[in-house]
């Protein structure tokens, strides 16, 4: 079993497990279940966590340069090893976006925009969930319902920042900072894609000029070939002309 | 009757109908008419809606690949089929912008900027109207007059977001999210246009260098032609020189 | 007297008049003078207004295509003809920035950045003055001192928008909208300049490749010339070799 | 001792001194020490200041064009000569970032991003410290703890600007303006880097086209050389063929 084969065969199962984790997390945060429901959710989350832990260990074992792999995947270790940090655990779900991304395919700009839009929608949803979970029972907090949390998340990721709802707990503020950084990245991606498109369209005219050069060079090559053929015919059969 | 011909001949009547809808919507939201006035407005809006519904059915019938057309125009179906969603119905008016756009013409960058500016002004106006309509009678809402709604809309679309006025109803927040997205797009368009202009200006110097290459190639072609002519004259009349 | 000559000879006097207007406006807003001081200020402002009115009429008279000039300079007519709109009158001072700009000179990117920075500083200062003038005596307004007005202006132009100070009058909000638009433009200029610089630096590598093509073409031209010279020498003196 | 040699040999000691200053400043602001601790801190800060003053005088003495150097380093004079302005003194620490930057190396885009990220993290930390120092004991101020100051700094640098915490003192607002400007620069760098990357990727296709031109020119040169060789062989040995 090679590293690449392991990755390819575990891709879809792990994405499914991440999706299930998202569903259970959403259900847990929104309904705050007690009794049997809460216990079942707890066990399924533990099972999913075990899957990710096995995947981490397997990949570490299969990696060709183990130390290098370990250093470049420290964030994965943190996500697997610290199951008490719920919001960080959810970052794992971002792998799903890149998976969706790959199946979409297409041109570079289209892919960048698709990735940014899906990733942002996903982040806003997860951040609103995590924020509600963190703030709901904090004294003095004003984000108390899921619609309010979603509203706050959208106002933050677009860098509008009304300030009518703001986190007050440390966890909530960490989530907020992640969303702000995502908002700057979103602005950057939208602007950069538009700029690249405009630059490309304007450059097409320059390309047309360049095509003229290419045609001229091609024409020149043809003339030279004709010249060589002519010289060759004179070199091999000079006598009859004299 | 072909699809293209239908589109061309219904363009201006539909734009007119959309403008009339905007006028009636503006008048209805700002004056909150009762009695006869309200009834007349209701009937005109119904007539305009019928026009758009006929246009939708006609284009669906005339389309060459009907299933494909249906899938790519699902948003138009939603706008036509759900007349209770007032703010969404107003999105139809954006077609007017692209119509204006076409008549302006001109270079790419100019057109992008014109589209962005007109589209943004239009969106701010319509969003302020829809926001006033949604929030005015909601308990605890603080957007109560049209000037306040306009002020809120401008502060949102520029992503400034003071937070002195914020929507509290679900409808109001959906409108706000649309404006925030438009704000990010606006920022992107302004920046991208400036970047494209700067990149182009700086690239003109490179183009000047490229022009040198082209001139050299042209000169070269001329020399080759002269060379061929010379060889040809020697080939046809070699005897007298010897 | 031609149009260009009039423009060149009135440039500096008008810039001086605009500067004096700014000084008097600043002094009037900050100290709210009464009695003789206020009357003197009033008269000087009237004299400056007369200068600008004369300049407008003179340029309209000297313009070659008078109707065209009139249509393209409608904003100047509004600024000259409506002296009661104090904040709009101050826009006239922006001409000073382009004057400073011209004397700075230099490369395109540097000039764009200089213009953006000076223009923004200037706009923030004038907007803070106009805002203080508009809001100070309005009931319920919270911008009451010049430092607060400056603080509000900076938070608005950077699109941060804390919302701790916000305008409440119609005049104040018009000023705020102008600053928000300037803020978007500022963001655009900063980003576009950086993007253009980065694109150019990366493109320099491509230019190096292009230089290789140019050198190859030059070398080719040289070879062709040598070839022609050789053929020419053989054509004029073929006999001795046989 | 030349200017360059002085700079190279004092680089690391001065960076160390700046780091120590940051540590002492952090400790002083967070714990507000009294008695012996405060006195020791005061003396170490004085020693560090002396180091920077010596460095300034030495570089001024060693500079080849002393007047020019003086004018281009006025900001350094202000930082050295005005030790009472604590926040400004901390700007000196930014030299550390460029030092770190240099040791990272790598491609242009990567270096720009590294610089922006490290510089922003650093600025947010120092601004939060300076803000806490300025606001803590001001009447009516609402930034009273370091976590609140950090939260305010992040919301400001991302231009989100909730407004739940805002500075009220003049010093605090100067720090805030510096952060807002940094926020605009950060947005610009992120967007510009993305735009440059996209433009470059799209341009690579055009480069491929250009490579075709280069190959054609190279091929052409080869043909011309063959032609010359052929002509040369005929010129030196024409007799046997006749």
């Amino acid at each position: 079993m090679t590293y690449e084969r392991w990755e390819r065969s575990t891709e879809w199962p792990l994405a499914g497990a991440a999706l299930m984790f998202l569903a259970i997390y959403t259900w847990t945060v929104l309904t705050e279940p007690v009794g049997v429901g809460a216990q079942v959710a707890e066990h399924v989350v533990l099972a999913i966590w075990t899957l990710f832990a096995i995947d981490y260990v397997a990949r570490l074992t299969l990696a060709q340069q183990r130390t290098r792999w370990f250093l470049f995947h420290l964030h994965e270790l943190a996500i697997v090893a610290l199951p008490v940090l719920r919001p960080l655990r959810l970052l794992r779900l971002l792998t799903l976006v890149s998976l969706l991304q790959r199946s979409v395919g297409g041109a570079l700009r289209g892919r960048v925009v698709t990735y940014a839009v899906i990733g942002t929608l996903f982040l806003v949803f997860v951040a609103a969930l995590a924020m509600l979970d963190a703030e709901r029972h904090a004294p003095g907090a004003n984000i108390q319902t899921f619609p309010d949390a979603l509203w706050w998340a959208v106002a933050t990721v677009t860098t509008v920042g009304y300030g009518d709802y703001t986190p007050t707990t440390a966890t909530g503020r960490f989530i907020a900072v992640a969303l702000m950084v995502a908002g700057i990245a979103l602005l950057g991606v939208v602007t950069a894609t538009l700029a690249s498109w405009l630059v490309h369209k304007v450059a097409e005219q320059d390309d047309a000029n360049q095509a003229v050069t290419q045609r001229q060079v091609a024409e020149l090559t043809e003339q030279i070939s004709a010249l060589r053929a002519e010289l060759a015919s004179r070199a091999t059969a000079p006598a009859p002309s004299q």
Side-chain angles (χ1 to χ4, degrees), chain A residues 3 6 54-71 73 77:
Chain A
Y3 183 83
W6 173 269
I54 290 171
D55 172 60
Y56 179 80
V57 172
R59 280 190 298 154
L60 179 56
T61 315
L62 292 168
Q64 298 211 311
Q65 293 172 286
R66 226 166 279 176
T67 321
R68 203 181 123 93
W69 192 92
F70 180 76
L71 290 172
H73 294 73
L77 178 62

Side-chain angles (χ1 to χ4, degrees), chain A residues 82-113:
Chain A
L82 304 167
V84 288
L85 289 175
R86 277 196 188 177
L88 279 176
R89 220 198 291 173
L90 280 162
L91 284 173
R92 170 58 91 162
L93 289 163
L94 280 171
T95 57
L96 201 71
V97 180
S98 71
L99 220 72
L100 273 169
Q101 184 53 46
R102 211 176 318 154
S103 62
V104 171
L108 182 67
R109 268 195 294 268
R111 266 162 49 209
V112 168
V113 168

Side-chain angles (χ1 to χ4, degrees), chain A residues 91 94 119-132 143 148-160 165 167 171-187:
Chain A
L91 284 173
L94 280 171
T120 305
L121 289 178
F122 179 80
L123 250 170
V124 164
F125 181 76
V126 170
L129 275 180
M131 183 55 86
L132 184 63
I143 301 176
D148 284 355
L150 261 183
W151 168 242
W152 162 84
V154 172
T156 299
V157 88
T158 54
T159 77
V160 169
Y165 296 93
T171 311
R173 286 180 178 175
F174 273 113
I175 299 163
V177 169
L179 260 191
M180 290 172 191
V181 171
I184 285 187
L186 178 69
L187 264 176

Side-chain angles (χ1 to χ4, degrees), chain A residues 11 15 25 32 42 54 56 69-70 74 76 103 113 118-119 144 172 182-184 196 205 213 217 227 237-238:
Chain A
E11 215 163 53
Y25 186 71
E32 293 190 282
E42 194 96 0
I54 290 171
Y56 179 80
W69 192 92
F70 180 76
L74 271 178
E76 293 199 28
S103 62
V113 168
I118 295 180
Q144 304 280 350
I184 285 187
S196 159
Q205 198 187 314
T213 314
V217 169
L227 182 61

